[in-house]
């Protein structure tokens, strides 16, 4: 083999392919030799050895003592004829069994066909069969006179008219108006249902879009250890992240530490829950979400419930949410009130407080 000048991995791959080709060629040669041995003449002769061995064995067992050549030949011919007769009988029996199986299958098919025809209301097929039989009878009676043929045609017309009178009674199968068919598939009813569903879906989507565009005033407190209360007006469909951006625009002129801060570095804490940035105010309003110390769907201000005598009683209005730096929370999360805060979990319910006056 010529020296390969490419990469070592490609050379190894080429070597493996060459080995596979050599192995396949060797297997092909072995198969050729085997086929040649199978088609040799002595192998073909061996196929008939069993038959002649049985004849020879029977000839030996039936021959006792010395016999002449003619007797031996006659006995051999008789044994061969008996052998061939037996083989012919076996073949005839096999053919007979095969014919029985074919007839049984055909009978089964005919039976199934008759059952299918019995289930169907094919009145027209029966009429066509009768017409074909009548035409055959007319062809066989070539020696009849024209008057007999005309009479026969009139009889056929009479039978047809009689059948035509009875056909509608057999064909026309009407529904019972008293039966409830609402559970059955109905294309018109399904199309009407789909159209109504689509109209309701569009109406609901328009209603929700209008609700998201409604303005809302959110009162918040910038928390750096003490509260600095402010108000921001935005839409119900705005997210917490958009709300924090508006808060930054309001607070930057007064607080120098917020000049280089983005909304990603701020947190919004409402009712002792840390709200994720991707939630919208619309989500809390629609689901009537509740926090540890008040509702999350009210954004006007009430007194802090921790300053009240009864911490389990509060007004319908919630207290202001807190906007703070994430760095401040990391430094003070072990100190009250940050120690009470926890991430918002929509699957968790808080039912330890009640609404005042209810």
């Amino acid at each position: 083999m010529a020296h390969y000048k490419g990469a070592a991995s490609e050379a190894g791959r080429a070597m493996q392919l060459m080995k596979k080709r050599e192995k396949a060629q060797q297997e092909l040669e072995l198969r050729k030799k085997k086929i040649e041995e199978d088609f040799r003449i002595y192998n073909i002769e061996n196929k008939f050895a069993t038959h002649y061995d049985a004849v020879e064995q029977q000839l030996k067992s039936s021959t006792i003592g010395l016999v002449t050549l003619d007797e031996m030949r006659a006995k051999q011919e008789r044994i061969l004829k008996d052998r061939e007769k037996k083989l012919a009988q076996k073949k005839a029996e096999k053919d007979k069994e095969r014919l029985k199986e074919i007839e049984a299958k055909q009978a089964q098919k005919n039976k199934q066909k008759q059952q299918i025809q019995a289930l169907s209301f094919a009145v027209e097929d029966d009429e066509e069969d009768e017409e074909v039989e009548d035409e055959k009878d007319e062809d066989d009676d070539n020696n009849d006179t024209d008057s007999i043929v005309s009479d026969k045609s009139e009889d056929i017309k009479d039978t047809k008219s009689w059948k035509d009178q009875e056909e509608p009674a057999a064909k026309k199968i009407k529904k019972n108006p008293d039966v409830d068919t609402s559970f059955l598939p109905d294309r018109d009813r399904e199309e009407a249902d789909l159209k109504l569903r689509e109209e309701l879906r569009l109406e609901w989507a328009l209603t929700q879009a209008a609700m998201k565009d409604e303005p809302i005033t959110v009162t918040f407190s910038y928390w750096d250890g003490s509260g600095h209360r402010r108000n921001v007006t935005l839409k119900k469909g705005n997210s917490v992240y958009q709300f924090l951006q508006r808060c930054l625009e309001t607070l930057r002129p007064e607080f120098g530490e917020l000049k280089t801060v983005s909304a990603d570095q701020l947190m919004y804490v409402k009712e002792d829950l840390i709200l994720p940035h991707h939630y919208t105010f619309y989500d809390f309003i629609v689901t009537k979400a509740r926090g540890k110390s008040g509702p999350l769907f009210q954004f006007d201000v009430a007194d802090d419930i921790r300053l009240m005598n009864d911490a389990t009683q509060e007004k319908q209005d919630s207290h202001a949410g807190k906007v703070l730096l994430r760095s401040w929370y990391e430094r003070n999360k072990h100190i009250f009130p940050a120690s009470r805060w926890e991430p918002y979990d929509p699957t968790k319910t808080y039912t330890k407080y009640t609404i005042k006056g209810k």
Side-chain angles (χ1 to χ4, degrees):
M1 185 177 75
H3 181 66
Y4 182 74
K5 296 181 180 180
S9 60
E10 295 295 330
R13 186 167 174 269
M15 184 68 72
Q16 289 179 359
L17 290 173
M18 289 296 295
K19 288 181 180 179
K20 286 182 180 179
R21 288 175 183 172
E22 291 175 359
K23 188 176 179 181
Q25 192 171 1
Q26 290 176 2
E27 290 179 355
L28 184 61
E29 292 294 334
L30 290 173
R31 288 180 182 176
K32 285 182 179 179
K33 288 180 181 180
K34 188 174 180 182
I35 291 169
E36 289 176 358
E37 290 175 359
D38 291 340
F39 278 93
R40 285 181 184 174
I41 298 173
Y42 69 84
N43 282 340
I44 295 173
E45 291 176 352
N46 289 338
K47 292 181 180 180
F48 302 95
T50 305
H51 174 66
Y52 286 102
D53 289 343
V55 173
E56 187 177 355
Q57 185 67 28
Q58 188 177 358
L59 185 62
K60 287 180 181 179
S61 61
S62 61
T63 304
I64 301 173
L66 297 173
V67 293
T68 62
L69 182 60
D70 295 335
E71 291 177 351
M72 178 66 72
R73 287 177 177 173
K75 189 175 290 188
Q76 187 176 6
E77 289 178 359
R78 189 178 71 254
I79 291 171
L80 284 172
K81 286 180 180 179
D82 293 341
R83 181 78 177 177
E84 290 175 356
K85 188 176 181 181
K86 288 180 181 179
L87 292 175
Q89 287 178 354
K90 288 182 179 179
K91 186 178 180 181
E93 289 177 357
K94 288 183 179 178
D95 293 340
K96 191 175 181 180
E97 290 178 358
R98 193 177 299 167
L99 184 62
K100 285 182 179 179
E101 291 178 358
I102 293 171
E103 289 177 353
K105 289 182 180 178
Q106 188 65 31
Q108 183 68 20
K109 288 182 180 178
N110 293 334
K111 186 178 179 181
Q112 291 178 356
K113 190 175 180 181
Q114 288 177 359
Q115 290 176 352
I116 292 170
Q117 289 178 353
L119 290 174
S120 63
F121 299 96
V123 182
E124 297 177 359
D125 295 339
D126 296 335
E127 290 179 1
E128 290 175 1
D129 294 338
E130 291 176 3
E131 290 176 3
V132 170
E133 291 176 1
D134 292 338
E135 289 175 1
K136 288 181 179 178
D137 294 335
E138 290 176 1
D139 293 335
D140 294 334
D141 298 334
N142 292 325
N143 297 324
D144 293 341
T145 60
D146 295 337
S147 60
I148 296 173
V149 172
S150 61
D151 294 338
K152 191 180 237 183
S153 61
E154 288 177 359
D155 293 339
I156 293 170
K157 289 180 181 179
D158 293 338
T159 54
K160 282 185 178 181
S161 62
W162 176 74
K163 285 182 180 179
D164 292 337
Q165 291 176 359
E166 290 189 354
E167 250 183 52
K171 282 186 176 181
K172 292 182 179 179
I173 301 174
K174 297 182 179 180
K175 293 182 180 179
N176 186 355
D178 298 331
V179 177
D180 182 17
T181 58
S182 59
F183 63 92
L184 295 175
D186 188 350
R187 183 178 297 177
D188 296 336
R189 186 170 63 246
E190 290 176 359
E191 290 178 356
D193 291 343
L194 291 174
K195 186 177 180 182
L196 180 60
R197 288 181 183 180
E198 185 65 20
E199 290 176 356
L200 293 174
R201 187 189 66 80
L202 292 174
E203 184 181 353
W204 181 84
L206 292 173
T207 303
Q208 301 306 310
M211 187 182 297
K212 289 179 182 179
D213 288 336
E214 291 178 0
I216 183 175
T217 301
V218 180
T219 302
F220 70 95
S221 177
Y222 174 61
W223 190 262
D224 56 357
S226 60
H228 307 279
R229 190 166 291 180
R230 300 288 187 276
N231 293 325
V232 172
T233 301
L234 65 159
K235 295 180 180 179
K236 291 181 180 180
N238 292 133
S239 63
V240 174
Y241 182 82
Q242 293 172 333
F243 163 70
L244 293 175
Q245 286 179 328
R246 296 289 302 277
C247 293
L248 275 177
E249 294 173 1
T250 305
L251 296 172
R252 272 174 181 164
E254 300 181 29
F255 300 94
E257 68 271 18
L258 298 179
K259 289 183 179 180
T260 59
V261 172
S262 65
D264 293 324
Q265 297 171 276
L266 294 178
M267 295 171 56
Y268 181 47
V269 181
K270 185 81 166 68
E271 311 303 339
D272 293 330
L273 294 180
I274 302 170
L275 303 183
H277 287 186
H278 64 276
Y279 279 97
T280 64
F281 293 94
Y282 168 81
D283 296 333
F284 301 117
I285 293 170
V286 169
T287 58
K288 298 290 183 181
R290 310 190 75 83
K292 293 175 67 176
S293 56
L296 297 177
F297 54 89
Q298 295 289 339
F299 302 99
D300 42 5
V301 180
D303 295 331
D304 195 331
I305 62 169
R306 289 184 296 273
L307 302 178
M308 299 171 63
N309 295 328
D310 188 359
T312 62
Q313 298 287 332
E314 69 162 357
K315 297 179 182 179
Q316 180 68 28
D317 299 334
S318 61
H319 54 278
K322 295 178 177 60
V323 176
L324 64 148
L325 287 167
R326 195 177 296 275
S327 58
W328 185 93
Y329 172 73
E330 293 296 334
R331 292 195 308 268
N332 300 280
K333 60 184 178 181
H334 60 288
I335 304 172
F336 183 85
S339 59
R340 283 179 51 85
W341 301 342
E342 62 182 65
Y344 172 67
D345 184 4
T347 61
K348 193 173 182 180
T349 57
Y350 301 94
T351 57
K352 293 183 180 180
Y353 67 93
T354 58
I355 301 301
K356 186 175 181 180
K358 292 188 180 181

